């Protein structure tokens, strides 16, 4: 017999999982469908930076709430509230830093400015080439690699059925009856009254099956990790442009990121690290913290991050397909996911949240999308 | 690193690894007119079987003469042989492969020099890694791998100890024991996980190389003549104490490698232990290059999928030697030649007929030797019973200090693949890149999940292939020259 659910969430990253948890709290019968393993996408391979300083101004309220969720998760995800600084090395970067951080502070992030001297008193390992710096005491990080295990445990506890290693190969609206959706899985099909597409960089592929063309683009971000070295840095380090995230984990290992681009596409399976961009990323890190010199890098990897032209989330109804919803393309989504996931889950039940969503219809061309039917 | 035009390459064929497979391929490829570059991290060509260290004079033994002959042929061939270069990344841009290497530092403490070779075709001949079976004490000083011991004995002319226990499975067991004896050490015992009848059962496949069978029997005879006890059907269970006063505990095992509870155990005192359970193809480079791999049940190992011409399923990517499936040192040069012929054919240096003629003889020799090598690899693949018996508190991943209990717990929490286990526990994620423990972790995961080892999968291939000094690659630079892109959206 075909199982029938109130809500099927497709994709078990931070977005899908936190939405599913809220839906279950709301009394819904929920299934989460994941092609690979929980947290195997961007949510499990990202740099784990939970920094308010690199959040967009318009997303700050969401970031603050998301950040609190990670803090509550604590040791289970390796959460550390280390504080972090953002650095400017020339006048142009200083102007950028001052303009941006002032706006982010207005938006609610507890950001302050430090003189180079104050900065060095806090973090002597940082280069003396700094001309200006900002500081946010609540910034920190989590171990993104532990996300999958953590989310799986939460979902289990909440009684949410989770089907891993079961990619949705087909999805279609059901005509007549109660409506809803039929979702094809490798081992059979299931039916659900509503669906939420939370497939990260693959969201456009699944939306296409419902006849909607979402203009989602994908970045291939690179992260590197070194072997453990002597402790030199306790805070996170960023760059005025937002193109560096650097931290030394409690193990002594350094984690280097910042959105430097690899190659590949989500459809080809995995991204590839490009040596040339990797070196740019390492050089910036090494410039910021000179003692990063003789440490050995042991692994570099890439992950896919979805985005649309205005760099704002797609969070709301899938245009033209009643009862289908989408949640993707959230910049800084690891931090913000635990806030916006539940908001979307509430909205799916007609409950207005205290923060607005981001209507996906805005990114579609004016022509109305066709709807696919079973 | 300067920007390159994608359609220009430094050479026709780049070969990663200058062991028997890579060296023979280089000789053949240059003979066929291909501009060839060979890159190897060792100080000299030769690979594992003919390893030499600078400043160490090898004793005049057959194998070393063969190594010298191999090096001489390579030097004469005109191939550009770049030793002392650790390859850390492989990329394909357009039709061109990029082989990123790091040259050894000019002086100790310095980082080394980055170097990139571009090539129209790439042959991966990176050889094997040793299979280990974790036991209490396997991380102790004085306990080393059998394969590592061959290197110590051959390249360094060093004995692992004066009183050595040699344990494990496969042909290296007897090679190491007899080499220690020859070099003046004492072997307190050879502990072979295989029973004598397992060796006899392998004879038909070994008959393709009677010379190698005779050599192996000779080793055994020499050991018995020196009164070295050989215990078949036994396994090293634990090593305690501090070197040089080590206590080794050895237990009898069944066909599947399991030690029946309450079974007899034998204790040995020794100052060193050499232990290993055969070889596994080193798949890190072929995984990184994006080739398809498959699990070989009989040898219990993953290997890159190659066709009869050593071609992988990636364009102009070839694999040969033990890295493409354990076939042994005798098969490796022939496989290398077959790969070189295929590359020459694919790059237009040989027509179909000439290729067919030239490759046919090499394929025959390769296949004959490979049957022997594969029989050895099967023999070394001791059953999962040994893994089932690993205690909860035994360290499985030495780098990250992960014990079996942690791995089982992660499986119970829902991890089903090697990739998930690595994320959840960090096992196999240390500096060794999983080379020491990957096989054991996969087997434990398979046991606990009830999946096959093939179902547990392989880890994603990622750079660097070897740990690389960040400063060596980042090098000297000007802040202003950094390609810092458009700032992130506000
Ligand atoms: C440690 C060890 C010792 C062995 N000893 C013996 C022995 O004594 N007798 C015997 O018959 N068989 C031995 N073997 C088995 C061995 O694999 C042989 O069958 C034979 O050497 C295989 O030849 P090959 O060309 O395939 O690989 P190899 O001889 O292993 O050559 C591979 C080469 O690739 C190089 N390489 C690998 N990765 C990189 C990288 N990222 N960057 C740069 N260079 C790289 C290595 O330095 C090596 O020189 C040994 C295996 C190992 C692992
Ligand atoms: C390398 C990198 C570094 C980053 N660093 C940071 C950072 O430091 N801080 C921060 O806040 N944000 C960071 N981000 C952004 C953040 O990781 C993402 O915004 C967030 O994880 C997205 O979550 P998601 O659930 O939308 O997507 P994902 O985590 O990618 O989840 C989507 C899931 O859907 C599954 N799926 C796809 N198709 C199907 C199908 N047909 N059927 C079933 N399942 C399917 C996938 O397997 C995947 O598990 C980074 C991103 C990357 C890539």
């Amino acid at each position: 017999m075909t199982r029938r659910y109130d809500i099927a969430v497709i994709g078990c990253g931070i977005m899908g999982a936190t939405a599913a948890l809220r839906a279950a709290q709301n009394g819904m019968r929920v299934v989460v469908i994941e092609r690979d393993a929980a947290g195997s996408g961007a949510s499990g391979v990202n740099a784990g930076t939970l920094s308010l300083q690199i959040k967009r101004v318009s997303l700050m309220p969401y970031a603050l709430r998301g950040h609190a969720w990670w803090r509550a998760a604590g040791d289970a995800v390796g959460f550390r509230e280390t504080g972090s600084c953002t650095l400017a090395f020339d006048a142009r970067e200083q102007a950028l830093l001052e303009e941006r951080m002032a706006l982010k502070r207005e938006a609610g992030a507890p950001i302050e400015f430090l003189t180079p001297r104050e900065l060095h008193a806090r973090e002597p390992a940082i280069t003396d080439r700094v001309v200006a710096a900002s500081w946010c005491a609540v910034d920190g990080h989590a171990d993104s690699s532990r996300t999958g295990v953590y989310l799986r445990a939460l979902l289990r506890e909440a009684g949410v059925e989770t089907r891993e290693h079961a990619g949705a190969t087909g999805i279609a609206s059901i005509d007549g009856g109660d409506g809803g959706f039929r979702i094809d899985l490798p081992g059979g099909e299931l039916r659900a009254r509503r669906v939420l597409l939370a497939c990260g960089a693959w969201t456009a592929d699944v939306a296409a099956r419902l006849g909607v063309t979402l203009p989602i683009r994908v970045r291939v971000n690179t992260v590197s990790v070194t072997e453990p070295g002597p402790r030199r840095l306790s805070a996170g380090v960023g760059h005025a442009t937002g193109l560096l995230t650097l931290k030394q984990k409690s193990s002594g290992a350094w984690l280097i990121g910042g959105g430097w681009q690899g190659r590949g596409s989500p459809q080809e399976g995995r991204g590839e690290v490009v040596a040339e961009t990797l070196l740019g990323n390492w050089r910036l890190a090494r410039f910021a913290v000179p003692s990063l010199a003789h440490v050995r890098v042991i692994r570099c990897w890439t992950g896919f991050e979805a985005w649309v032209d205005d760099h704002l989330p797609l969070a709301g109804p899938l245009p033209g397909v009643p009862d289908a919803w989408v949640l993707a393309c959230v910049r800084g989504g690891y931090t913000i996911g635990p806030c916006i996931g539940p908001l979307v889950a509430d909205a799916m039940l007609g409950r207005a949240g205290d923060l607005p969503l981001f209507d996906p219809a805005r990114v579609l061309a004016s022509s109305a999308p066709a709807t696919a039917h079973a | 690193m300067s920007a390159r035009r994608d359609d220009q390459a430094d050479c026709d064929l780049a070969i990663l690894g200058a062991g028997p497979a890579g060296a023979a391929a280089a000789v053949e490829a240059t003979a066929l007119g291909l501009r060839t570059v060979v890159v190897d991290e060792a100080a000299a060509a030769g690979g594992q079987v003919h390893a030499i260290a600078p400043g160490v004079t090898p004793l005049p033994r057959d194998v070393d003469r063969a190594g010298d002959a191999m090096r001489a042929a390579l030097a004469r061939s005109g191939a550009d042989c770049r030793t002392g270069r650790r390859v850390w990344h492989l990329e394909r841009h357009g039709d061109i492969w990029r082989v990123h290497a790091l040259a050894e530092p000019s002086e100790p403490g310095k980082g080394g020099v980055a170097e990139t070779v571009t090539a129209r075709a790439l042959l991966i001949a990176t050889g094997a890694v040793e299979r280990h079976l974790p036991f209490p004490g396997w991380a102790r000083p004085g306990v080393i791998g059998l394969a590592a011991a061959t290197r110590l004995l051959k390249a360094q002319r060093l004995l692992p100890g004066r009183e050595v226990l040699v344990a494990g499975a496969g042909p290296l067991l007897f090679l190491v024991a007899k080499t220690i004896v020859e070099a003046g050490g004492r072997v307190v015992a050879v502990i072979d996980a295989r029973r004598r009848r397992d060796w006899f059962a392998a004879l038909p496949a070994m008959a393709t190389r009677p010379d190698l069978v005779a050599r192996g029997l000779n080793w055994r005879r020499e050991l018995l003549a020196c009164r070295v006890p050989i215990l078949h059907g036994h396994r090293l269970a634990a090593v305690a104490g501090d070197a040089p006063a080590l206590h080794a505990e050895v237990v009898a095992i069944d066909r599947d490698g399991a030690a029946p509870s309450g079974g007899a155990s034998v204790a040995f005192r020794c100052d060193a232990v050499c232990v290993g359970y055969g070889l596994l193809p080193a798949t890190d480079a072929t995984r990184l290059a994006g080739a398809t791999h498959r699990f070989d049940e009989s040898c219990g190992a993953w290997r890159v999928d190659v066709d009869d011409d050593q071609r992988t399923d990636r364009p102009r990517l070839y694999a040969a030697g033990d890295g493409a499936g354990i076939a042994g040192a005798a098969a490796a040069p022939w496989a290398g030649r077959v790969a070189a012929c295929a590359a020459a054919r694919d790059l237009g240096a040989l027509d179909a007929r000439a290729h067919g003629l030239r490759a046919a003889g090499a394929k025959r020799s390769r296949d004959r030797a490979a049957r022997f090598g594969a029989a050895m690899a099967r023999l070394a693949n001791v059953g999962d019973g040994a893994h089932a018996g690993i205690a909860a508190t035994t360290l499985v991943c030495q780098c990250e200090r992960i014990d079996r209990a942690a791995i089982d717990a992660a499986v119970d929490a829902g991890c089903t693949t090697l990739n998930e286990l690595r994320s959840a526990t960090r096992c196999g994620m240390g500096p060794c890149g999983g080379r020491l423990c990957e096989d054991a972790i996969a087997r434990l995961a398979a046991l606990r999940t009830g999946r096959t080892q093939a179902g547990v999968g392989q880890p994603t291939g990622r750079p660097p292939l070897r740990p690389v000094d960040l400063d060596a690659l980042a090098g000297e630079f000007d802040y202003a020259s950094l390609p810092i892109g458009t700032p992130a959206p506000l």
Side-chain angles (χ1 to χ4, degrees):
Chain A
M1 215 192 79
T2 309
R3 312 280 311 256
R4 206 177 157 89
Y5 299 87
D6 297 320
I7 294 182
V9 175
I10 307 181
C12 192
I14 191 65
M15 301 296 164
T18 54
L21 286 169
R22 174 60 62 85
Q25 278 165 14
N26 288 342
M28 297 288 103
R29 203 175 128 121
V30 187
V31 63
V32 182
I33 296 156
E34 167 55 50
R35 184 181 49 201
D36 198 331
S40 59
S43 304
V45 302
N46 67 72
T49 312
L50 302 169
S51 161
L52 298 175
Q53 293 177 86
I54 53 175
K55 292 298 160 306
R56 300 200 65 191
V57 171
S58 56
L59 297 180
M60 198 58 77
Y62 306 80
L64 284 160
R65 191 180 296 170
H67 181 280
W69 190 89
W70 287 110
R71 183 200 280 125
D75 275 344
V77 291
F79 176 84
R80 296 281 178 283
E81 199 166 85
T82 58
S84 86
C85 53
T86 304
L87 313 178
F89 299 123
D90 60 29
R92 187 187 65 94
E93 291 170 6
Q94 178 171 6
L96 198 65
L97 181 87
E98 284 168 357
E99 181 208 86
R100 293 184 156 210
M101 293 306 162
L103 289 170
K104 292 181 190 196
R105 183 163 60 189
E106 258 171 54
I111 297 172
E112 52 191 300
F113 289 99
L114 298 183
T115 64
R117 185 191 294 270
E118 288 165 334
L119 175 73
H120 287 121
R122 234 184 247 281
E123 292 293 348
I126 291 176
T127 176
D128 55 14
R129 303 273 298 270
V130 172
V131 298
S134 59
W135 172 260
C136 179
V138 300
D139 282 354
H141 64 257
D143 280 343
S144 71
S145 60
R146 285 152 76 174
T147 309
V149 173
Y150 183 64
L151 293 178
R152 190 185 288 130
L154 290 183
L155 290 165
R156 258 189 203 180
E157 217 172 280
V160 175
E161 196 177 320
T162 307
R163 302 218 187 159
E164 296 179 71
H165 303 285
T169 50
I171 174 168
S173 313
I174 302 168
D175 273 334
D178 300 342
F181 297 86
R182 195 196 69 217
I183 299 166
D184 300 323
L185 300 178
E189 59 165 50
L190 57 78
R191 287 168 189 245
R193 182 79 196 77
R194 302 177 183 81
V195 290
L196 172 60
L197 313 186
C199 306
W202 298 268
T203 303
D205 300 350
V206 184
R209 299 194 176 259
L210 289 169
V212 182
T213 308
L214 293 174
I216 292 180
R217 306 213 255 164
V218 173
R219 288 161 50 81
V220 188
N221 297 341
T222 310
V223 185
S224 311
V225 69
T226 73
E227 62 188 2
R231 299 274 331 162
R232 303 209 188 280
L233 189 72
S234 41
V237 173
H239 186 254
T241 56
L243 301 179
L244 174 68
T245 64
L246 173 65
K247 53 186 99 53
Q248 191 175 21
K249 312 286 280 268
S250 43
S251 67
W254 297 82
L255 204 73
I256 307 169
W260 293 66
Q261 295 297 289
R263 322 185 283 161
S265 74
Q267 288 70 34
E268 288 161 347
R270 58 167 204 163
E272 288 168 33
V273 172
V274 173
E276 222 161 310
T277 46
L278 191 65
L279 295 197
N281 193 186
W282 292 0
R283 284 178 171 161
L284 183 54
R286 154 100 169 60
F287 186 83
V289 180
S291 48
L292 197 53
H294 289 296
V295 55
R296 295 195 306 167
V297 175
I298 55 173
R299 201 169 41 264
C300 314
W301 64 93
T302 54
F304 295 116
E305 184 181 22
W307 60 288
V308 283
D309 277 346
D310 63 7
H311 299 285
L312 286 172
L314 299 183
L318 186 67
V321 188
D323 295 323
W325 293 66
V326 59
L327 174 54
C329 302
V330 184
R331 178 122 198 152
Y334 190 59
T335 317
I336 293 173
C339 165
I340 201 162
L343 285 173
V344 170
D346 285 345
M348 288 175 78
L349 295 182
R351 303 184 187 175
D354 53 350
L355 288 170
L357 292 179
F358 299 83
D359 189 354
R362 74 182 190 280
V363 300
L364 291 190
S366 47
S367 63
T371 308
H373 289 284
Chain B
M1 201 174 297
S2 64
R4 280 161 221 280
R5 279 190 41 203
D6 269 2
D7 56 350
Q8 286 180 337
D10 303 338
C11 65
D12 297 317
L13 177 65
I15 301 177
L16 171 49
V27 172
E28 180 77 346
T30 47
L32 293 171
L34 301 187
R35 289 171 304 147
T36 305
V37 176
V38 194
V39 190
D40 199 298
E41 64 186 332
Q48 300 298 3
V49 65
H50 302 305
I52 53 169
V56 178
T57 318
L59 295 184
R61 280 197 291 121
D62 286 353
V63 66
D64 297 319
R65 275 209 292 279
D68 289 341
M70 197 198 99
R71 279 182 280 273
L74 184 59
R76 270 196 314 272
S77 72
D80 177 357
C81 193
R82 305 191 191 173
T83 49
R85 265 87 159 178
R86 231 173 307 147
V87 172
W88 65 274
H89 193 19
L90 303 169
E91 293 179 74
R92 189 181 166 86
H93 288 256
D95 285 337
I96 304 291
W97 287 99
R98 292 185 192 173
V99 178
H100 299 284
L102 189 59
E104 283 303 314
S106 47
E107 47 189 287
K110 287 268 185 244
V113 181
E115 189 175 298
T116 299
V117 176
T118 57
R120 296 166 68 205
L122 172 63
L123 167 60
I124 296 180
T126 47
V129 293
E130 187 159 35
R131 179 194 280 125
H132 293 284
L133 171 60
F135 58 86
W138 73 301
R140 270 174 200 278
V143 180
I144 65 169
L146 279 179
T150 70
R151 286 206 65 120
L152 205 62
L153 286 157
K154 277 179 307 199
Q156 244 75 41
R157 310 305 305 165
L158 287 175
L159 280 171
R162 306 221 148 270
E163 313 255 304
V164 189
L165 184 76
V166 180
L172 288 184
L173 198 56
F174 293 97
L175 172 64
V176 167
K178 79 102 195 180
T179 313
I180 291 174
V181 169
E182 262 177 13
R186 193 171 86 85
V187 172
V188 300
V190 173
I191 311 301
D192 182 3
R194 288 305 193 180
R195 298 157 313 164
R196 290 195 68 177
R197 63 175 166 274
D198 300 326
W199 286 90
F200 285 122
L203 270 175
M206 297 197 287
T208 56
R209 290 295 301 258
D211 53 328
L212 298 179
V213 176
R215 193 178 65 176
L217 286 173
N218 242 337
W219 294 345
R220 197 166 189 281
R221 216 169 292 130
E222 281 172 41
L223 290 169
L224 291 171
C226 299
R227 302 183 183 286
V228 173
I230 300 180
L231 271 68
H232 290 284
H234 281 69
R235 169 164 68 74
L236 181 62
V239 175
D242 293 309
L246 296 176
H247 309 272
E249 186 199 340
V250 168
V251 292
I253 54 174
D254 65 16
R255 229 185 129 215
D256 194 37
S261 61
S265 80
V266 197
F268 292 93
R269 283 171 181 281
C270 52
D271 61 3
V273 174
C274 302
V275 56
Y277 291 84
L279 301 171
L280 303 163
T283 56
D284 50 353
T286 42
R287 271 182 286 132
L288 179 60
T292 299
H293 290 68
R294 97 191 127 77
F295 190 75
D296 179 341
E297 289 292 343
S298 69
C299 302
W302 286 95
R303 64 192 226 183
V304 61
D305 225 351
V306 287
D307 68 8
D308 193 41
D309 288 295
Q310 309 291 143
R311 291 186 185 98
T312 72
D313 63 347
R314 291 277 279 151
R316 290 190 190 156
L317 178 70
Y318 313 82
D322 275 358
I326 303 300
W334 298 111
R337 280 185 205 195
V338 172
C341 288
R345 170 81 191 105
D346 298 345
L347 294 174
L350 273 182
D351 64 27
R353 195 169 155 273
H355 171 252
L357 285 174
R358 185 131 187 157
K363 287 183 186 174
R364 265 194 307 276
S365 303
R366 175 198 65 190
D367 294 345
R368 209 164 30 234
R371 271 196 290 281
F372 179 90
M376 291 294 107
R378 284 194 295 275
L379 207 54
N381 178 26
V382 176
D384 287 336
H387 292 83
I390 294 175
T393 54
T394 299
L395 279 191
V396 179
C397 167
Q398 294 190 12
C399 299
E400 299 283 328
R401 305 196 62 79
I402 310 289
D403 61 14
R404 179 183 183 167
I407 294 188
D408 285 350
V411 170
D412 296 346
C415 293
T416 53
T417 65
L418 205 50
N419 268 335
E420 290 166 55
L421 268 175
R422 283 162 63 103
S423 289
T425 66
R426 315 217 58 75
C427 62
M429 303 277 267
C432 94
R435 269 180 286 277
L436 285 174
C437 59
E438 208 161 274
D439 175 76
I441 293 166
R443 284 171 190 246
L444 288 174
L447 286 169
R448 193 81 174 184
T449 56
R451 292 184 167 207
T452 59
Q453 209 181 320
V456 168
Q458 287 179 288
T460 310
R462 290 296 187 195
L465 292 169
R466 300 283 186 271
V468 286
D469 187 285
L470 185 142
D471 217 34
L473 286 175
E476 294 295 314
F477 61 91
D478 233 9
Y479 182 69
S481 74
L482 290 185
I484 297 176
T486 347
L490 178 60

